[in-house]
């Protein structure tokens, strides 16, 4: 099998796994990955993560022209913004995941550091997560907001909507966005219970040991 057909299969398997575990429902969520030739594979608009068809993924060439497959997700500007500002981005994933959306609605959340530092893996896989305001889905302003971060963040949270994460490849992006949702779930579960978060010294130790991209 060619590496592109392997990548097509992997995108669909990972998307279905997230759908099956309730990480995004209905026809929500979208995913994209760089191909070896510098093009992109993207989940088509209106599709369910539970039933993506490897043969119908939207295929773009290096110029960003759709050359094969169904029309892409309407949240394409969001994906392009990450690829254009982060040279290391090999994949982007977006979910409508319940606990992170719930956390985005809380009045006292820190917009510059959306996830509380509860576990080392949250820090390692995501760095600091920026909470972006609410945008009407598909609004190009969403992409502009990501561009405004100038490539300094690999993960953002769209308020009242869902997280978006870029990483070096599709597996890393899925692992990271799952960590984001898990950390948000911990934050919701322990809310009001005065949980002991990691201390600034513990955060620094993790950031240094694992060479975490830590904006701020
Ligand atoms: Zn969405």
């Amino acid at each position: 099998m060619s590496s592109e057909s392997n990548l097509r299969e992997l995108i669909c398997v990972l998307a279905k796994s997230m759908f099956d575990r309730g990480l995004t429902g209905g026809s929500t969520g979208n995913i994209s990955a760089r191909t070896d030739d510098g093009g992109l594979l993207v989940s088509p608009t209106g599709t369910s993560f539970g039933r993506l068809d490897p043969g119908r993924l939207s295929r773009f060439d290096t110029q960003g022209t759709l050359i094969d497959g169904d029309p892409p997700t309407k949240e394409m500007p969001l994906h392009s913004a990450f690829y254009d500002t982060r040279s290391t981005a090999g994949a982007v994933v977006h979910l409508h995941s319940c606990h992170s959306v719930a956390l985005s609605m809380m009045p006292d959340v820190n917009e510059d550091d959306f996830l509380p530092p509860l576990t080392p893996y949250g820090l390692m896989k995501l760095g600091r997560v920026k909470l972006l305001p609410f945008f009407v889905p598909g609004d190009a302003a969403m992409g502009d907001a990501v561009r405004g971060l100038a490539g300094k963040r690999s993960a953002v949270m769209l308020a009242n909507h869902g997280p978006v994460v870029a990483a070096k490849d599709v597996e890393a992006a899925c692992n990271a966005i799952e960590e984001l949702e898990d950390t948000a779930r911990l934050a919701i579960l322990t809310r009001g219970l005065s949980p002991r978060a990691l201390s600034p010294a513990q955060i620094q130790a993790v950031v240094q040991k694992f060479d975490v991209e830590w904006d701020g």
Side-chain angles (χ1 to χ4, degrees), residues 15-213:
K16 182 173 187 321
S17 166
M18 291 190 285
F19 180 85
D20 288 347
R21 288 175 291 138
L23 287 161
T24 206
S27 63
T28 66
N30 36 74
I31 184 166
S32 64
R34 279 249 177 262
T35 51
D36 283 349
D37 65 1
L40 270 186
L41 285 166
V42 184
S43 54
T45 184
T47 50
S48 167
F49 262 27
R51 297 180 292 281
L52 287 182
D53 180 343
R56 296 183 64 175
L57 296 176
S58 318
R59 175 66 155 92
F60 289 85
D61 65 13
T62 50
Q63 310 302 312
T65 306
L66 182 67
I67 53 168
D68 187 39
D70 291 339
T73 167
K74 60 180 171 304
E75 282 163 349
M76 196 66 201
L78 203 50
H79 291 248
S80 306
F82 274 105
Y83 292 113
D84 291 349
T85 55
R86 290 181 62 85
S87 58
T88 55
V92 175
V93 186
H94 166 54
L95 302 177
H96 293 186
S97 44
C98 181
H99 299 86
S100 42
V101 177
L103 188 62
S104 80
M105 299 168 185
M106 297 299 138
D108 55 350
V109 72
N110 181 349
E111 288 176 14
D112 199 46
D113 200 0
F114 169 65
L115 290 179
L118 298 178
T119 70
Y121 286 87
L123 305 180
M124 283 154 57
K125 292 194 187 296
L126 298 155
R128 274 148 74 96
V129 178
K130 183 84 175 180
L131 176 64
L132 295 177
F134 174 76
F135 296 98
V136 174
D139 186 344
M142 247 196 269
D144 297 341
V146 171
R147 283 171 207 279
L149 300 173
K152 289 188 178 150
R153 303 293 179 98
S154 65
V156 301
M157 180 68 204
L158 304 168
N160 301 64
H161 180 169
V164 193
V165 174
K168 67 180 188 346
D169 59 37
V170 72
E171 273 190 291
C174 292
N175 288 341
I177 204 164
E178 289 191 22
E179 196 64 42
L180 193 158
E181 171 63 5
D182 284 344
T183 306
R185 183 158 55 147
L186 285 170
I188 295 286
L189 278 171
T190 57
R191 201 171 166 75
L193 302 175
S194 306
R196 274 178 290 138
L198 300 180
S199 69
Q202 288 168 330
I203 294 170
Q204 266 317 308
V206 171
V207 167
Q208 277 170 15
K209 175 156 186 181
F210 297 97
D211 200 20
V212 179
E213 237 183 279

